[in-house]
Amino acid sequence: YAATQFQILLSAVRSTNKGALIVYSTCSIASAENEKVVRKVLKKTSHAVEVVERCGPYSSEDLVSIGAEHREPGWILLPDRSGGCGPIYWVTLLKKRDGVPEIEKDNITESSDDDDDDDDDDDGKK
């Protein structure tokens, strides 16, 4: 499902204007559908979006207090740590600029080596 998730998030990035907030969320615990999809979108779109660490009015401490775990990038809430809520993964992205480059279909596959890149595709934000 990671290739489908990538297409969904990429469509959201392409269809929004500069300054828009995009919330990407899944009910999966698989990093391949969560963090890796986000990192791949960041890389493949030449960082047209950036991760927003704050989740609305809630601080990191607030999220941790309800059982959420910080992921790189994003957050995950698991049922065994949150009193039965979840699983839910989410990340908020800010569209920094318009003009997302086209991506060739063969560069989107789930088996792509880009899925395993950990070379600060998230701009090094923690």
Side-chain angles (χ1 to χ4, degrees):
Y1 299 103
T4 301
Q5 295 299 108
F6 174 78
Q7 284 293 340
I8 291 168
L9 183 53
L10 183 62
S11 293
V13 171
R14 283 197 173 125
S15 65
T16 54
N17 294 322
K18 179 180 176 183
L21 290 175
I22 301 164
V23 177
Y24 173 70
S25 179
T26 72
C27 58
S28 174
I29 61 170
S31 64
E33 293 180 48
N34 298 335
E35 305 97 90
K36 288 183 179 182
V37 166
V38 175
R39 285 195 295 261
K40 189 171 183 177
V41 165
L42 291 171
K43 183 175 184 176
K44 295 286 186 178
T45 64
S46 302
H47 294 274
V49 290
E50 68 182 18
V51 175
V52 176
E53 289 300 323
R54 190 144 179 102
C55 183
Y58 304 103
S59 69
S60 296
E61 293 79 19
D62 292 333
L63 296 174
V64 169
S65 75
I66 63 165
E69 296 175 31
H70 187 256
R71 295 294 171 99
E72 202 51 57
W75 291 87
I76 195 163
L77 196 60
L78 299 169
D80 62 326
R81 298 189 180 133
S82 65
C85 296
I88 185 169
Y89 167 84
W90 74 95
V91 65
T92 304
L93 303 171
L94 172 66
K95 178 88 174 265
K96 296 190 308 186
R97 60 180 173 75
D98 293 324
V100 176
E102 289 299 316
I103 299 168
E104 294 181 28
K105 192 75 165 168
D106 62 341
N107 288 332
I108 298 173
T109 63
E110 290 182 65
S111 61
S112 171
D113 291 337
D114 292 332
D115 287 344
D116 294 325
D117 284 352
D118 286 327
D119 59 344
D120 272 349
D121 286 347
D122 57 357
D123 284 339
K125 295 187 174 145
K126 301 279 180 209

